[in-house]
Amino acid sequence: MLNVANLHAFYGKSHVLHGVSFHVQPGQIVALLGRNGSGRSTTAKAIMGLVDCRGSILWKEREIVGKKAYQIAHLGIGYVPENRDIFPKLTVHQNLLLGQKGAGKGARWSFKDMYAMFPRLLERQHTEAGVLSGGEQQMLTLCRTLMGDPDLIIIDEPTEGLAPKIVELVGQYLQALKAKGISVLLIEQKLTIAMAISDRVLVMGHGSIVFDGTPDGLRADAYVRKEWLEV
Ligand SMILES: Nc1ncnc2c1ncn2[C@@H]1O[C@H](COP(=O)(O)OP(=O)(O)O)[C@@H](O)[C@H]1O
Ligand SMILES: [Mg+2]
């Protein structure tokens, strides 16, 4: 469904991705792991049309390299960036409303669904988003993206800075999305959650994919873990 082939990405003259290839099948959770600076966020930005790139990104058999970010979003790819950019002065409810884009009618998710899945957001629906805790903001960003009715969610380090209990909760929510048929590309540094919920794992190093396999395969591969993951 998402097929990335020989992708190169650039920030000005700086060449950051060097021929990245991988795919995500419908209903799969695929983890993209790697150390800081390995190129994971750049991969997400390239898919979303937010960075200069070359190569091929097929989404539902259609080439999306060269398309604008809003066009890519409308084709059904949801993006939760690493900085959780909520609108701090708007309420929780207003933030969700902004996520609806063109979706609205016939969309898979309603406000009711969001509030049922995240009761904390219902309690705080009239609160300014800026005063929510980190975990609540992460949930709000995820919900806002879901309101756009994506078939694939790219979520960049959702557990960064969250307490272990909340990290577990995020894992459960991602699995709930998968149960609804949504694919997830999960960018992470934390191995535990990624290994627990992913169907496949990719490891990035220096702007290339250095491992593509199953969680069990990565568990068995001490070399890859030592060389590209452990700090
Ligand atoms: N806006 C930018 N301008 C120039 N270089 C960047 C920019 N963002 C990231 N980089 C560089 O690209 C490389 C990959 O970064 P990134 O994709 O953010 O890695 P990761 O998300 O895996 O931590 C790093 O060397 C980083 O310094
Ligand atoms: Mg990053």
Side-chain angles (χ1 to χ4, degrees):
M1 136 185 257
L2 179 75
N3 215 322
V4 175
N6 197 24
L7 184 68
H8 293 256
F10 306 83
Y11 294 106
K13 283 195 176 130
S14 163
H15 187 174
V16 169
L17 297 185
H18 303 271
V20 168
S21 302
F22 67 91
H23 56 89
V24 178
Q25 307 284 15
Q28 271 191 340
I29 300 180
V30 176
L32 181 56
L33 304 172
R35 292 200 184 102
N36 268 334
S38 58
R40 298 159 303 155
S41 296
T42 303
T43 304
K45 288 181 207 161
I47 296 168
M48 295 315 294
L50 298 170
V51 59
D52 182 24
C53 65
R54 266 194 272 119
S56 167
I57 304 172
L58 293 181
W59 167 243
K60 298 177 178 170
E61 267 119 70
R62 191 198 299 212
E63 185 58 63
I64 58 169
V65 167
K67 289 199 187 297
K68 304 256 187 300
Y70 74 91
Q71 296 174 312
I72 294 167
H74 274 282
L75 290 172
I77 306 184
Y79 173 46
V80 185
E82 57 190 334
N83 47 11
R84 300 172 196 160
D85 58 347
I86 50 153
F87 298 93
K89 288 291 172 197
L90 298 183
T91 67
V92 164
H93 199 79
Q94 288 166 332
N95 267 274
L96 290 181
L97 203 56
L98 283 174
Q100 269 185 321
K101 291 185 295 212
K105 281 205 189 75
R108 226 167 317 197
W109 308 89
S110 64
F111 284 102
K112 229 175 111 195
D113 296 328
M114 293 297 109
Y115 290 140
M117 188 154 70
F118 300 98
R120 276 300 281 166
L121 293 184
L122 176 61
E123 287 165 29
R124 316 207 76 181
Q125 61 175 315
H126 302 301
T127 306
E128 281 186 7
V131 308
L132 300 181
S133 72
E136 289 164 348
Q137 290 191 7
Q138 185 60 53
M139 287 165 194
L140 177 57
T141 322
L142 176 59
C143 288
R144 198 183 65 200
T145 306
L146 287 176
M147 292 298 281
D149 205 25
D151 297 312
L152 165 71
I153 280 231
I154 301 175
I155 185 163
D156 197 345
E157 301 218 38
T159 68
E160 174 71 22
L162 302 187
K165 240 172 66 190
I166 312 291
V167 170
E168 214 170 285
L169 211 55
V170 171
Q172 286 170 19
Y173 290 131
L174 295 180
Q175 284 180 298
L177 298 190
K178 173 184 155 131
K180 277 237 184 190
I182 296 176
S183 309
V184 179
L185 181 62
L186 167 64
I187 296 177
E188 261 303 336
Q189 212 176 4
K190 293 195 182 73
L191 276 188
T192 334
I193 176 188
M195 297 292 253
I197 68 171
S198 302
D199 299 291
R200 289 209 356 272
V201 287
L202 310 165
V203 180
M204 256 193 140
H206 303 320
S208 300
I209 301 284
V210 294
F211 176 90
D212 182 343
T214 61
D216 278 340
L218 182 57
R219 261 180 220 109
D221 198 331
Y223 174 80
V224 166
R225 280 186 285 115
K226 182 166 187 300
E227 198 68 13
W228 299 106
L229 292 169
E230 281 156 22
V231 221

